[in-house]
Amino acid sequence: MTVILLRHGVSTSNTARTLAGRSQGVDLTERGNEQARALAVRLAALPIEHIVHSPLLRCQRTVAPLADKLDLEPEYDDRLIEVDYGDWTGKPLADLLTEPLWKVVQQHASGAVFPGGEGLAQVQARAVAAIRELDRRFAEQHGHDVLWVACSHGDVIKSVLADAFGIHLDGFQRIVVEPASISVVRYTPTAPYVWRVNDTGTDLSALAASNMPRPVADSRATQDGEPVDTSGPVPGGEVGDTGSADNGNAERRDSL
């Protein structure tokens, strides 16, 4: 059984550099819609049997073109929803840099609990349970191996990949999952096997120096008089410049 873990395309919150969380009405940007259409072209030739997504709008929009091409009816699963960031929801990322919890999220994710929200360990437990349960259901339903898509959010997908890799949740920030990227996990009776991570096609522009992950510019980013290290992934999984122009990836496709 093989699942394609798909992160939603670039959203209005990504470009605004805010932490969307479960805020309602966060839609894809035009770039995000282009990515969704490109994904449909890229994946349509694969024998995908099911599409499951987070109930949030940006995930619904991302899978819609693919579902149309494959003539599939997507279903949603609440367990694939974005992290409940609680009081952090909707805040600019720059305003969160000096929060003591910021370093905990970066270095000790398993102990991070967002104020008024959920802990990242809870997120991993629910997301992994959902993926494994859906995988079993589809296997029983079809009686053979099935390829299916699960569309979710950055931190959620990274937590599933950490489990598949067999690494501690505290290391999940070392995994990069960009908007509209696919990561592929094959589940077997003995162990999961990770086939792809953060695959956005043949384009490698994300590796250019001008597009690499960089600190969020903010003069207040100090703590106890010392600069805050913001060079790594942040809550929500943002990396680099999510608002860049289309790089021509729509017409390219790679086989899995």
Side-chain angles (χ1 to χ4, degrees), residues 146-167:
V146 170
L147 178 64
W148 62 287
V149 171
C151 182
S152 190
H153 308 268
D155 283 346
V156 179
I157 292 173
K158 290 196 298 181
S159 74
V160 173
L161 288 171
D163 172 78
F165 275 123
I167 65 175

Side-chain angles (χ1 to χ4, degrees), residues 74-91:
E75 61 179 289
Y76 73 86
D77 192 308
D78 286 330
R79 295 171 297 178
L80 298 182
I81 198 170
E82 175 65 290
V83 179
D84 182 356
Y85 293 112
D87 297 343
W88 280 26
T89 301
K91 290 188 176 181

